[in-house]
């Protein structure tokens, strides 16, 4: 019974997070006139798929994807652009993720737009974490 309650609470929390993520995406799309391609790229990085199975949680996937976006198409200058990503690890808290979400929103508000860029490093790092266990 306690396990069922915990699963139910986790599912509810995942649904709420998914709804708020979708709201943030739509607000960014509407308020900054994002094209369909730009919106799709942003949606892939700030995914509403919160309750996916696997060892890698939404927070880790999202933080890595947003970091990649900030270091590539949303970098402040070509001098800041870099494709090296930090190792994928369990976060101690959500402060880094919150900071990256804020930075993405700020850069979009200032006119930067997400662009299509190959994402092989994210896939490679995700596969590395899956293969650890």
């Amino acid at each position: 019974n306690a396990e069922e309650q915990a699963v139910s609470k986790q599912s509810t929390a995942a649904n709420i997070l998914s709804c708020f993520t979708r709201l943030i995406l739509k607000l960014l799309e509407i308020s900054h006139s994002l094209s369909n391609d730009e919106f799709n790229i942003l949606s892939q990085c700030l995914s509403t798929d919160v309750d996916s199975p696997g060892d890698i949680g939404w927070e880790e996937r999202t933080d890595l994807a947003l970091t990649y976006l900030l270091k590539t198409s949303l970098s402040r200058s070509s001098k800041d652009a870099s494709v090296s990503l930090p190792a994928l690890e369990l976060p101690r808290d959500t402060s880094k993720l919150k900071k990256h979400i804020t930075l993405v929103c700020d850069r979009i508000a200032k006119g930067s737009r997400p662009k299509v860029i190959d994402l092989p490093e994210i896939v490679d790092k995700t596969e590395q974490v899956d293969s650890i266990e």
Side-chain angles (χ1 to χ4, degrees):
N1 202 8
E3 183 180 343
E4 289 174 1
Q5 287 179 340
V7 169
S8 176
K9 285 182 181 181
Q10 182 179 8
S11 178
T12 300
N15 288 335
I16 291 169
L17 178 58
S18 181
C19 289
F20 275 106
T21 302
R22 187 174 311 278
L23 178 62
I24 289 169
L25 288 167
K26 288 310 246 179
L27 287 172
L28 285 169
E29 177 187 31
I30 293 166
S31 64
H32 301 294
S33 303
L34 297 179
S35 70
N36 285 340
D37 287 341
E38 293 165 345
F39 178 75
N40 288 335
I41 293 165
L42 188 59
S43 296
Q44 290 173 4
C45 293
L46 188 59
S47 175
T48 59
D49 183 16
V50 174
D51 205 18
S52 62
D55 298 332
I56 302 172
W58 178 86
E59 293 86 352
E60 293 86 3
R61 287 190 329 264
T62 302
D63 190 49
L64 188 63
L66 293 178
T67 299
Y68 188 84
L69 201 59
L70 288 165
K71 289 185 174 201
T72 56
S73 68
L74 294 181
S75 66
R76 284 181 261 174
S77 67
S78 58
K79 189 170 132 179
D80 292 337
S82 155
V83 290
S84 67
L85 293 172
L88 190 60
E89 57 187 30
L90 290 174
R92 290 184 302 242
D93 59 30
T94 59
S95 61
K96 194 166 102 173
L97 175 61
K98 289 177 190 177
K99 177 182 174 187
H100 289 156
I101 292 171
T102 301
L103 284 171
V104 166
C105 293
D106 288 347
R107 291 197 186 160
I108 289 173
K110 290 178 181 175
S112 294
R113 293 294 181 256
K115 298 177 192 88
V116 175
I117 296 176
D118 290 333
L119 301 175
E121 287 190 46
I122 290 178
V123 173
D124 291 345
K125 287 190 180 276
T126 302
E127 290 171 357
Q128 289 172 2
V129 171
D130 286 338
S131 65
I132 289 174
E133 300 193 338

